[in-house]
């Protein structure tokens, strides 16, 4: 598989599994890229380390639920955050305000 196809597969794997627990080793197994390659590629292409990119995508995907007025705990759990507080903290770091 060409590197471009592996990169597409990597980002597709991330997007398709945003609500599930993701690890670098799981991404590595799914794409055939090493953990080092994933770290280097995601950092170069997005400007963020891989797990920070995943967190940013999860937060972005959660915004429609916030606008609908869904409960923060439900949103946090829907998007792979273990606790409501971890979602709130991540949201504050990225957007500079709490989700409330």
């Amino acid at each position: 598989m060409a590197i471009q196809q592996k990169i597409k597969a990597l980002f597709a794997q991330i997007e398709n599994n945003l609500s599930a627990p993701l690890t670098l080793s799981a991404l590595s197994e799914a794409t055939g890229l090493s953990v080092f390659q994933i770290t280097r590629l995601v950092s170069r292409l997005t400007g963020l380390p891989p797990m920070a990119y995943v967190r940013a995508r999860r937060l972005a995907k959660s915004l429609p639920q916030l606008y609908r007025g869904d409960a923060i705990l439900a949103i946090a759990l829907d998007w792979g955050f273990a606790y409501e507080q971890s979602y709130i903290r991540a949201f504050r770091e990225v957007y500079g305000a709490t989700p409330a």
Side-chain angles (χ1 to χ4, degrees):
M1 185 184 303
I3 190 68
Q4 291 86 359
Q5 291 173 319
K6 287 184 178 185
I7 292 170
K8 285 181 183 179
L10 169 64
F11 283 96
Q13 187 72 18
I14 290 171
E15 287 298 314
N16 293 333
N17 293 290
L18 284 174
S19 61
L22 277 174
T23 63
L24 290 176
S25 59
L27 290 172
S28 176
E29 287 179 26
T31 61
L33 294 165
S34 72
V35 171
F36 175 77
Q37 288 173 313
I38 290 170
T39 301
R40 188 180 64 209
L41 287 168
V42 172
S43 295
R44 279 189 187 166
L45 295 172
T46 68
L48 295 170
M51 298 320 289
Y53 174 74
V54 169
R55 184 180 67 177
R57 293 297 303 136
R58 286 176 172 164
L59 291 170
K61 290 282 197 167
S62 75
L63 291 176
Q65 287 178 278
L66 276 176
Y67 290 131
R68 276 197 314 260
D70 293 0
I72 293 174
L73 176 59
I75 296 169
L77 296 176
D78 285 349
W79 291 104
F81 291 89
Y83 304 100
E84 181 179 19
Q85 259 326 106
S86 59
Y87 175 77
I88 292 170
R89 188 177 314 109
F91 194 95
R92 187 182 307 124
E93 287 175 13
V94 171
Y95 296 112
T98 64

